[in-house]
């Protein structure tokens, strides 16, 4: 509203009316879309985390919190991805993270996080860049799948194979295994001696 003054007296008021109905509809639709997207991400069975270019958490969903054993508040209050990564895995993870920031090169990595109780959890992280309108990397998105049980099963299988080989090597008889095409798949030391071949 603007006053109109003539000869020192108020002669009237000029009102300028702007129709913002479309803007309000657009804003409401944007908020609804954002709420729907947030609900989908929050209820995903896969852990999702976004970090800034220094590794500080910007966003995490519920599943990510479950996997790493931390609350959302703990993570977004200043924790970095590096703070959760197992110290032995940083040497592999950090160069890939740096390359992603510099070049936008996505990567897939199996690594361990250290939970708040000190336990290690194995994850497979699919890591990619989030770009701004100009194409510059503005943040990093990690989609995390807990593979701890798979890693335990692999370790148990390796241990079982090691024990089996140890037993077969200690046998005083020659032992060898063949596949369906009669190719050797395993030969113990005594069989090598008997056959005269490695």
């Amino acid at each position: 509203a603007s006053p109109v003054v003539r000869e020192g007296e108020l002669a009237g008021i000029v009102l300028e009316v702007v129709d913002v109905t479309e803007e309000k509809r657009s804003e409401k639709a944007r908020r609804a879309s954002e709420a729907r997207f947030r609900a989908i991400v929050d209820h995903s069975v896969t852990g999702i985390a976004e970090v800034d270019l220094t590794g500080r958490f910007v966003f995490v969903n519920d599943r990510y919190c479950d996997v790493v054993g931390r609350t959302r508040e703990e993570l977004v209050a200043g924790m970095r991805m590096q703070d959760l990564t197992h110290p032995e895995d940083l040497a592999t993870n950090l160069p890939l993270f740096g390359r992603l920031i510099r070049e936008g090169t996505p990567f897939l990595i199996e690594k361990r996080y250290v939970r708040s109780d000190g336990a290690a959890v194995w994850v497979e992280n699919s890591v990619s860049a989030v770009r701004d309108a100009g194409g510059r990397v503005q943040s990093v998105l990690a989609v995390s799948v807990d593979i701890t049980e798979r890693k335990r099963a692999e370790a148990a299988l390796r241990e079982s194979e090691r024990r089996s080989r140890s037993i077969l090597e200690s046998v005083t008889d020659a032992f060898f295994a063949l596949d369906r095409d009669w190719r050797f798949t395993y030969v113990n030391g005594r069989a090598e001696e008997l056959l005269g071949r490695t």
Side-chain angles (χ1 to χ4, degrees):
S2 302
V4 177
V5 178
R6 286 194 194 127
E7 300 176 11
E9 290 186 24
L10 180 62
I13 298 177
V14 176
L15 294 175
E16 183 177 341
V17 178
V18 178
D19 184 2
V20 294
T21 306
E22 190 57 40
E23 287 177 31
K24 291 289 185 186
R25 278 191 205 127
S26 294
E27 177 63 21
K28 185 177 178 182
R30 185 192 64 73
R31 281 196 308 269
S33 175
E34 189 175 292
R36 183 171 181 257
F37 172 76
R38 179 93 38 186
I40 290 169
V41 170
D42 277 343
H43 294 95
S44 173
V45 296
T46 305
I48 299 172
E50 181 182 9
V51 297
D52 68 14
L53 301 183
T54 68
R56 290 197 188 287
F57 288 99
V58 175
F59 169 81
V60 292
N61 72 351
D62 292 342
R63 180 63 183 138
Y64 189 86
C65 293
D66 292 343
V67 170
V68 300
R70 311 272 177 167
T71 66
R72 185 176 303 212
E73 292 73 25
E74 281 179 279
L75 293 169
V76 297
M79 288 191 82
R80 299 173 311 146
M81 166 274 301
Q82 300 91 314
D83 300 330
L84 298 180
T85 300
H86 193 283
E88 293 174 11
D89 297 340
L90 283 171
T92 303
N93 195 171
L94 290 179
L96 294 171
F97 186 78
R99 184 170 163 212
L100 176 85
I101 291 168
R102 287 188 313 278
E103 302 169 15
T105 308
F107 63 94
L108 186 67
I109 188 172
E110 289 183 1
K111 70 177 203 174
R112 291 164 290 178
Y113 284 131
V114 179
R115 297 170 55 94
S116 58
D117 63 4
V121 58
W122 278 97
V123 294
E124 180 179 81
N125 278 354
S126 176
V127 186
S128 57
V130 176
R131 298 177 185 273
D132 64 15
R136 292 176 299 276
V137 176
Q138 69 177 18
S139 63
V140 175
L141 186 70
V143 177
S144 298
V145 176
D146 184 344
I147 59 169
T148 305
E149 288 306 314
R150 187 187 87 197
K151 286 293 192 176
R152 284 185 187 136
E154 289 171 356
L157 179 61
R158 281 192 305 273
E159 177 58 20
S160 174
E161 289 173 348
R162 185 199 63 74
R163 273 188 272 130
S164 295
R165 287 188 190 279
S166 176
I167 291 168
L168 292 174
E169 286 301 322
S170 66
V171 174
T172 56
D173 295 329
F175 179 87
F176 54 88
L178 305 169
D179 66 12
R180 289 181 181 189
D181 296 322
W182 295 91
R183 289 184 299 241
F184 288 96
T185 58
Y186 177 78
V187 179
N188 73 355
R190 182 66 183 120
E192 287 179 331
E193 292 172 17
L194 182 67
L195 298 172
R197 296 174 185 236
T198 61

